[in-house]
């Protein structure tokens, strides 16, 4: 058996991708360029390496992100820069396709950007879901992944894409759904739906440690708008744990593509060493379909036939 190589695409030596022509396909539905690399990027890279076709639908180009002028020299807009960053990241992750829905980035709750007519958070849920359902019918993934019900940290765009994806998962397989745009696509029902979530154990540890280091756990992140203390008490079940340590370098390289958003490091300061100790190259997922039960999965394609 050949040694595992993260660069050898199509090698099926790992036990869960059978040696046959069946194309395993996964669709990740997210909101902004960087959500993939700062979130479930390790799992996406892992499945791409193992021969699955990994696709990403990104609702916006992250137009509202804060960007230093030094990053914008070669770009006409923040959206254009961040699209380029995502394309860079998708190369490192080995994505088979990246699709932009062309909505506009919304700000955090209360921000004026939420009221922009193109703002994702201002769109009717049914319309966004109908478009996601069309991507599902086109790409025909067995597995769909998106944000958890609070969008990781209550970002309105993340929550919007969570809701739209849950609805789209149903619509795609519903013969009575006539589609949006290209109406010729036949119904297609993916088999599994997962929500990526953040380890609560990690959050709770951070909440305890941050005050000791002079940091406020209610004001985390680059913009100080993430309340880890509040997030830590919203617990979600973990139904699948994906160990992506073999492709950790790819995830790191993809994260570095998003230099305008701080790359891999979110203003950790003295936390850098602690963060390194606590990051375990594992992604955590809740499973929505089929309903969870029993043992914790180690593979999102488990049981896919
Ligand atoms: Zn985001």
């Amino acid at each position: 058996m050949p040694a595992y190589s993260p660069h050898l695409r199509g090698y099926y030596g790992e036990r869960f991708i059978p040696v046959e022509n069946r194309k395993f396909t996964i669709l990740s539905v997210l909101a902004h360029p960087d959500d993939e690399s700062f979130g479930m990027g390790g799992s996406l890279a892992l499945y791409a390496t193992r021969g699955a076709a990994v696709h990403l639908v990104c609702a916006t180009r992250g137009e509202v992100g804060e960007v230093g002028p030094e990053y914008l020299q070669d770009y006409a807009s923040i959206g254009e820069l961040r699209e380029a960053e995502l394309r860079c990241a998708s190369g490192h992750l080995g994505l088979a396709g990246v699709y932009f829905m062309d909505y506009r980035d919304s700000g955090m709750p209360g921000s004026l950007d939420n009221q922009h007519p193109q703002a994702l958070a201002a769109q009717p849920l049914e319309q966004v879901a109908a478009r996601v359902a069309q991507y599902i019918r086109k790409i025909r993934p067995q597995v769909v992944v998106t944000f958890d019900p609070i969008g990781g940290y209550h970002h309105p765009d993340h929550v919007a894409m969570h809701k739209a994806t849950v609805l789209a998962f149903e619509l795609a397989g519903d013969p009575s759904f006539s589609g949006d745009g290209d109406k010729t696509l036949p119904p297609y029902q993916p088999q599994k739906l997962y929500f990526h979530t953040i380890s609560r154990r990690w959050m709770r540890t951070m909440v305890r440690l941050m005050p000791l280091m002079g940091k406020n756990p209610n004001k985390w992140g680059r913009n100080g708008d993430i309340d880890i203390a509040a997030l830590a008490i919203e617990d979600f079940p973990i139904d699948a744990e994906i160990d992506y340590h073999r492709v950790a370098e790819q995830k790191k390289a993809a994260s570095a593509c998003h230099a305008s958003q701080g790359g891999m490091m979110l203003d950790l300061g003295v936390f850098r060493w602690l963060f390194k100790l606590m990051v375990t190259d594992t992604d955590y997922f809740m499973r929505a379909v089929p309903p969870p039960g029993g043992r914790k999965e180690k593979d999102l394609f488990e049981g896919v036939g």
Side-chain angles (χ1 to χ4, degrees):
M1 186 180 281
Y4 182 92
S5 162
H7 307 294
L8 190 56
R9 296 196 61 190
Y11 167 52
Y12 298 108
E14 292 296 318
R15 68 187 155 77
F16 64 76
I17 303 279
V19 184
E20 56 181 66
N21 290 328
R22 181 193 303 284
K23 195 62 179 169
F24 280 74
T25 303
I26 185 165
L27 172 62
S28 174
V29 186
L30 299 173
H32 311 109
D34 80 12
D35 290 337
E36 79 303 330
S37 298
F38 296 165
M40 62 178 80
S43 299
L44 300 182
L46 184 69
Y47 284 106
T49 299
R50 289 175 172 178
V54 181
H55 294 263
L56 169 66
V57 165
C58 187
T60 79
R61 286 180 173 76
E63 295 86 347
V64 176
E66 279 181 43
V67 170
E70 67 274 23
Y71 294 107
L72 281 168
Q73 284 165 8
D74 297 326
Y75 299 94
S77 65
I78 292 176
E80 200 179 280
L81 160 72
R82 296 194 66 193
E83 175 176 347
E85 289 181 338
L86 174 51
R87 296 207 182 274
C88 165
S90 80
H92 288 291
L93 299 175
L95 303 189
V98 177
Y99 317 93
F100 287 96
M101 295 180 79
D102 296 330
Y103 293 117
R104 190 175 187 274
D105 190 0
S106 319
M108 286 299 276
S111 155
L112 274 181
D113 288 305
N114 283 314
Q115 279 140 45
H116 190 284
Q118 291 305 114
L120 172 59
Q123 307 305 311
L125 170 65
E126 293 71 20
Q127 281 178 25
V128 182
R131 292 191 54 204
V132 174
Q134 287 297 87
Y135 282 109
I136 292 174
R137 285 182 172 184
K138 270 183 204 157
I139 295 165
R140 302 173 71 81
Q142 293 96 345
V143 175
V144 176
V145 283
T146 187
F147 300 103
D148 68 25
I150 60 166
Y153 54 93
H154 297 289
H155 193 299
D157 287 340
H158 295 191
V159 176
M161 291 317 288
H162 165 84
K163 289 182 181 163
T165 307
V166 169
L167 183 53
F169 190 91
E170 298 281 319
L171 286 177
D174 180 353
S176 69
F177 169 62
S178 59
D180 169 85
D182 185 354
K183 295 182 171 36
T184 59
L185 293 170
Y188 174 80
Q189 184 59 62
Q191 296 175 40
K192 301 178 99 177
L193 174 62
Y194 288 94
F195 307 146
H196 176 256
T197 194
I198 303 165
S199 157
R200 261 50 196 176
R201 194 171 63 87
W202 179 85
M203 281 192 190
R204 284 192 287 265
T205 310
M206 291 307 276
V207 169
R208 277 198 296 271
L209 290 174
M210 284 175 79
L212 301 178
M213 305 181 109
K215 299 251 179 180
N216 183 350
N218 306 108
K219 294 187 186 299
W220 166 264
R222 255 172 119 231
N223 306 321
D225 53 5
I226 301 173
D227 184 345
I228 294 200
L231 296 176
I233 50 177
E234 283 195 69
D235 215 351
F236 292 118
I238 305 294
D239 303 305
E241 283 185 10
I242 305 302
D243 173 355
Y244 63 82
H245 76 275
R246 286 170 170 164
V247 294
E249 288 306 312
Q250 284 172 250
K251 174 172 162 137
K252 227 181 268 178
S255 297
C257 289
H258 297 287
S260 76
Q261 301 304 300
M264 186 66 177
M265 290 302 165
L266 295 170
D267 188 23
L268 293 166
V270 290
F271 281 104
R272 203 159 289 207
W273 64 272
L274 182 63
F275 191 77
K276 275 193 183 143
L277 277 181
M278 293 179 58
V279 170
T280 55
D281 294 340
T282 304
D283 280 335
Y284 300 93
F285 295 89
M286 305 162 58
R287 198 177 77 208
V289 180
R295 181 178 66 73
K296 203 172 279 185
E297 293 175 315
K298 299 284 183 204
D299 172 18
L300 302 182
F301 283 98
E302 203 172 295
V304 165

